[in-house]
Amino acid sequence: MAEASRWHLGGTPKHKLHYRKEVEMRTTLQEVLLYLIFLINLCILTFGMVNPHMYYLNKVMSSLFLDTSVHGEERINFKSIRSITDFWKFMEGPLLEGLYWDSWYNNKSLYDLKNSSRIYYENILLGVPRVRQLKVRNNTCKVHSSFQSLMNECYDKYTSENEDLSDFGLKYDTEWKYSAPIINSPWHWGFTGVYRNGGYIFTLSKSKSETLNKFINLRMNSWITRSTRVIFIDFSLYNANVNLFCVIRLVAEFPATGGILTSWQFYSVKLLRYVSYYDYFIASCEITFCIFLIVFTTQEVLKIKEFKSAYFKSSWNWLELLLLVLCFVAVFFNSYCNIQTSLLLGQLLKSTEKYSDFYFLAHWHIYYNNIIAITIFFAWIKIFKFISFNKTMSQLSSTLSRCINDIVGFAIMFFIIFFAYAQLGFLVFGSQVDDFSTFQNSIFTQFRIVLGDFNFAGIQQASRILGPIYFITFIFFVFFVLLNMFLAIINDTYSEVKADYSIGRRPDFELGKMIKKSYHNALEKLKLKKPETDEDKKSRKSRDLAEQARREGFDEKEIQSAEQMKKWKERLEKKYYSTEIQDDYQPVTQQEFRDGTTSKYKMRLCECLTK
């Protein structure tokens, strides 16, 4: 009965609505502040993982092993290897010279080496390097009957089914015998295949001369054959000055077409996490991160229990869940990496005569870095949830939300044309132009064309007729027509949003006002700002009421007329009498204002503005 009478009287009392709104704003403000603390902690955590020396260590090592040329033949380095002869020259030249540093620059002996090489005098070579090759079996493909008289052997591209597992060559040492792959070791994704671990393996010696003799022996006995599909050169370094491990892998792929494709991986990782005081500070940030994760998870569980299926109708709630999942995955990866490092590091460093496989640890640390990078990306995106207290950011979000349907429709039309051109480019230029060698490359190349980065000469040389036609029509339809349509959609929607905001159809930025008010109150308490005078309060209140009148539909002329009437009334009251206006103001609708007695309702609006 009480609820019915309250509804009859106009709903919840105004003071309760105001109190509820204020509580909601304070809760939102607390949520914003809590999330900002979490975000700052996450930023400190992620930046603490990255060391600027990682880049310089990778750069130094890549320059040594990739750019150093063979003595007497300046054109041959690892990047330019194209034949088996070039590969052996690199192995016996730049690789050998780069791995073994046993004397100072003036030919004096280095300080206590303890049976380890010191690359650039600062980086300890951990264990010994390892060389590994994978082969395919003969007759894994079929020679056409017309050419069987000329060629009776056929070696297909590498797959795990085509891999050769039999011994070959001299068969008396490990490099001639097949070694089974390790189950937990990651596979390698190359240019022409995905390669697993295992294969025909040998490790280098601590002696430079012994290693050179080993290379010569392998070369003379044809360790590399027609069935060879890839060779891996793996080794690891440690720099104590910056507490970084550098895990290096040089890859030479031997495709079925002939020739050699080279690639490389340089991973600088921090396996020993807690050494300095700053490292322990980062550890405290990790603990704080876990506490935040527990708090946020509890909040989301309570929300799901309260709102049930309605919880999943909000896109922001889905972002919250995605962020929580990424955080838990990051915690799992971090814990797994630390456990594996503590278990394996001691074993890997025990013997300096064996290969130390740090690639497994580096591989998982790279995964962890990638996960934490994606996590902080979505953590920053979540800030858009709290932008409603700012007018400019609210305009941006309103524009994107309004035009999303138009953008989806445009995207369908855009990608139909885009993929049609990508397939055309792949089929016409794929065999001659590197940018169109695969369908994926064609797609990325077209995005580069839109940004102004293109190789028109290569396209024209591949096809004198279709090349220019493809280029001109693609630029016309995609660049001049479709992209301008996209900009027109955004611009038109933004104009509509600005027009609505100008006439008052916009959200009430109460949270922003509350933040601003709290800021000014803090300055006044600290005596950094003069207290607000009664005249300032009256002026601010007048502006707020004018904004409220705009939201209720009054135009600018009506508001200005009411403000003039208010000033006229104030002058009369000041000159002739002084009375207090009773609190009996009733809201005036726009229709009443326009249809009723103009002077009467203007006076009532004046009284509202006077309050």
Side-chain angles (χ1 to χ4, degrees), residues 191 422-423 425-427 429-431 433-445:
F191 287 124
Q423 192 164 6
F426 169 60
L427 296 175
F429 316 118
S431 61
V433 182
D434 179 61
D435 292 340
F436 295 88
S437 57
T438 64
F439 184 67
Q440 295 88 341
N441 286 350
S442 299
I443 294 173
F444 292 127
T445 299

Side-chain angles (χ1 to χ4, degrees), residues 193-211:
V194 180
Y195 308 98
R196 63 178 180 177
N197 209 331
Y200 304 90
I201 303 171
F202 71 92
T203 56
L204 305 187
S205 171
K206 285 288 184 179
S207 170
K208 182 177 180 181
S209 59
E210 290 181 9
T211 301

Side-chain angles (χ1 to χ4, degrees), residues 52-67 120 246 266 268:
H53 295 290
M54 291 179 176
Y55 168 75
Y56 297 116
L57 183 57
N58 287 341
K59 184 179 180 180
V60 167
M61 292 300 124
S62 63
S63 175
L64 176 63
F65 291 103
L66 302 181
D67 299 330
Y120 279 122
C246 186
F266 292 83
S268 290

Side-chain angles (χ1 to χ4, degrees), residues 98-102 113 115-119 123-125 206:
L99 289 175
Y100 296 94
W101 293 58
D102 50 9
L113 290 176
N115 204 22
S116 296
S117 175
R118 298 289 181 93
I119 299 175
N123 304 280
I124 304 173
L125 180 63
K206 285 288 184 179

Side-chain angles (χ1 to χ4, degrees), residues 49 60 104 140 166 276 295 315 337 366 380 395 431 576 591:
M49 294 165 40
V60 167
W104 197 248
T140 49
S166 60
S276 63
V295 171
S315 58
C337 290
I366 295 301
W380 278 104
Q395 285 181 349
S431 61
Y576 296 106
Q591 190 63 32

Side-chain angles (χ1 to χ4, degrees), residues 86-153:
D86 293 344
F87 179 80
W88 284 118
K89 287 181 179 179
F90 167 77
M91 295 285 283
E92 298 171 14
L95 179 65
L96 208 62
E97 296 296 330
L99 289 175
Y100 296 94
W101 293 58
D102 50 9
S103 62
W104 197 248
Y105 62 90
N106 55 5
N107 293 326
K108 290 185 178 181
S109 298
L110 285 174
Y111 43 85
D112 188 13
L113 290 176
K114 293 184 180 179
N115 204 22
S116 296
S117 175
R118 298 289 181 93
I119 299 175
Y120 279 122
Y121 314 117
E122 302 293 344
N123 304 280
I124 304 173
L125 180 63
L126 302 176
V128 292
R130 182 186 70 179
V131 181
R132 175 172 67 94
Q133 82 159 299
L134 295 175
K135 300 161 63 72
V136 294
R137 299 188 310 273
N138 187 16
N139 297 323
T140 49
C141 52
K142 187 176 181 180
V143 180
H144 193 273
S145 58
S146 302
F147 290 90
Q148 286 181 355
S149 60
L150 300 175
M151 180 178 292
N152 57 5
E153 295 179 340

Side-chain angles (χ1 to χ4, degrees), residues 65-80:
F65 291 103
L66 302 181
D67 299 330
T68 304
S69 301
V70 175
H71 182 68
E73 298 187 41
E74 297 298 326
R75 70 171 189 86
I76 300 178
N77 55 31
F78 185 77
K79 292 180 179 179
S80 64

Side-chain angles (χ1 to χ4, degrees), residues 530-545:
K530 294 181 179 180
E532 196 175 21
T533 61
D534 293 338
E535 190 67 28
D536 294 334
K537 291 181 180 179
K538 185 183 294 184
S539 176
R540 176 170 53 80
K541 189 173 183 180
S542 178
R543 288 196 301 270
D544 293 342
L545 291 171

